[in-house]
Amino acid sequence: MQDLLSSTKSINCRNFINGKFIDEVEERKFANINPATEEEIGWVAEATKQQVDEAVAAAKQALQGPWGKFTVKQRSNILRRIGDLILENVEELAALEATDTGKPYLLALEMDIKRAAHNFHFFADYVTSLSNDSYNQDNIALHYTVTRPVGVVAMINPWNLPLLLLTWKLAPCLAAGCTAVMKPAELTPMTATRLVELCQEAGLPEGVVNLVHGFGADSAGAFLSEHPNVDAITFTGETKTGTTIMKAAAPTLKKVSFELGGKNPNIIFADSDLDEVIDTTLKSSFMNQGQVCLCGSRIYVERSVYDTFLEKFVERTKELKIGNPFNEATDIGAVIGKEHYEKVLSYIELAQEEDGHILTGGGRPASIPKGYFIEPTIITGLTQQSRCVQEEIFGPVVAVLPFDSEEEVLAYANDTKYGLGATIWTNDLRRAHRVAAQIESGIVWVNTWYLRDLRTPFGGMKHSGIGREGGSHSFEFYCEVSNVTIKL
Ligand code: NAD
């Protein structure tokens, strides 16, 4: 597997507008860095305002072209073909993703790329199964609905699951007949750049999918958010960025869907099966270096099993292998980049100022001199009010806190500004239902974590998001519905 790294050509990332990669503007090129090696792996062409305008114009024009006349079956066939092409290129895409993000290659293969293909296959099936609503109102009138695509959709994406989250938006967008201007995160441009080639190979007409690279403020992200010809914005990223995008989109009243930050509770009752809890908690704490919006970074353990849990959890965490993402045995790769690395380390320092005790981890591994690696870190002794328990760290860092009663842990679980995901571990069925119904979060898992079915709603409440994605929830975002009433 080591060979994959050297055999993977790094790709320079150009903007893709109206079916073509366009020439880069020399002074707007910026370097793309591999976080595991700190080496430059290519460059990225930051889009100018004019190029973003051209991308939006191409997407608008494409709505009137052949794409607008595609039947549902034709759209479904194209989606299926894109999914197939992702699978045909699965190893190359996984190697690009691992190189761009620093995540373990095997994780990129299973979690990012295969699931990206599944997003297309799912919506290829989904779109052929739909029917419109109709109502006969007491033989006075017949009502029926007509749906049409919402129009040009801007997709602004984060760096943690680049292709997976991009395709989670693009597949329903195309299924609904919309056109897209995608902006990947500036730190992870490679798989999106490869994806537009695959879309073209699958037969998508020019202008339907466009790609602009760049940053947020004063760059492609902001240009798209305020663009008068963008009809809807789907954004995944930080809560603070969501508020900025919402303000920029307000004057033109764009439809918005926001998947934002989280600080998710993982609640462990004493009656749960601790071995199973620990197997899954290792993943929910440290998968993708803790850089999954759904990671359970606040672990609440019922006091009677607190010591036993900690002893086993620390022991198993120490066994995790950290290092080269292309090594088959690697569990933990590098975090995304220098700035984020420093941010995560600053939270570990802050935890100590907040009287936290580090039970394992706490910094960069002594054996790895280069790359943005941080040891999986477990902290105890923090209070519910501490910043490390309240704020999203988004790294391989968890806080473990004891609790004595269901009421107490429910109050803790709901006591942050976020409301994305929560996990409950218990073998008491009634308690599982009772607690699940009271947790303020868009997703609640009982005795599992990260188990998803694409038909189910996905998203956050409070400061974790606006709207839901998944099945009909995704699809409706990309549609406008009219009701037609015919007097009988
Ligand atoms: P980020 O908000 O910094 O960036 C996300 C995207 O927004 C990037 O493409 C960036 O260039 C762009 N952007 C930044 N400023 C902008 C602006 N002013 N206008 C327009 N676009 C702008 O987020 P990130 O650091 O890339 O990702 C990590 C965050 O994403 C975490 O908070 C995590 O919880 C969240 N996330 C949430 C989900 C979810 O489903 N809820 C999933 C993954 C990640």
Side-chain angles (χ1 to χ4, degrees), residues 156-161 165 168 183-187 214-223 225 235-242 244-245 248 258-262 291-294 340 392 394 418 420 458-460 464 469:
I156 304 180
N157 293 279
W159 44 257
N160 63 331
L161 306 164
L165 295 179
W168 179 230
K183 194 203 88 62
E186 52 272 35
L187 297 172
F215 303 87
D218 295 323
S219 187
F223 302 155
S225 309
F235 165 73
T236 300
E238 277 189 31
T239 299
K240 200 158 50 90
T241 314
T244 309
I245 292 177
F258 286 171
E259 301 289 358
L260 307 175
Q291 303 167 130
V292 179
C293 53
L294 299 164
H340 191 60
E392 185 183 42
F394 215 55
Y418 296 110
L420 186 57
F458 176 95
S464 288
E469 296 184 301

Side-chain angles (χ1 to χ4, degrees), residues 11-17 21-32 42-55 181-187 189 193 211-224:
I11 53 174
N12 293 325
C13 298
R14 291 188 171 83
N15 299 293
F16 184 84
I17 299 172
F21 282 109
I22 56 163
D23 289 343
E24 63 282 5
V25 177
E26 196 55 36
E27 60 275 17
R28 290 181 81 91
K29 281 171 22 182
F30 62 93
N32 188 15
W43 51 255
V44 191
E46 184 190 1
T48 62
K49 172 124 182 24
Q50 192 191 332
Q51 287 166 341
V52 172
D53 286 346
E54 285 165 10
V181 182
M182 312 187 293
K183 194 203 88 62
E186 52 272 35
L187 297 172
T193 308
L211 173 72
V212 291
H213 290 293
F215 303 87
D218 295 323
S219 187
F223 302 155
L224 284 172

Side-chain angles (χ1 to χ4, degrees), residues 393-454:
I393 300 173
F394 215 55
V397 180
V398 291
V400 188
L401 292 88
F403 69 88
D404 292 298
S405 71
E406 192 178 300
E407 294 68 34
E408 182 191 6
V409 78
L410 257 169
Y412 290 155
N414 290 338
D415 172 34
T416 73
K417 65 179 182 179
Y418 296 110
L420 186 57
T423 301
I424 304 164
W425 293 95
T426 180
N427 281 322
D428 178 337
L429 186 61
R430 289 181 188 184
R431 171 152 61 198
H433 286 297
R434 201 165 53 226
V435 175
Q438 292 178 77
I439 288 193
E440 294 163 357
S441 74
I443 301 147
V444 180
W445 281 291
V446 178
N447 297 335
T448 184
W449 178 75
Y450 209 68
L451 182 61
R452 289 271 303 128
D453 180 312
L454 299 193

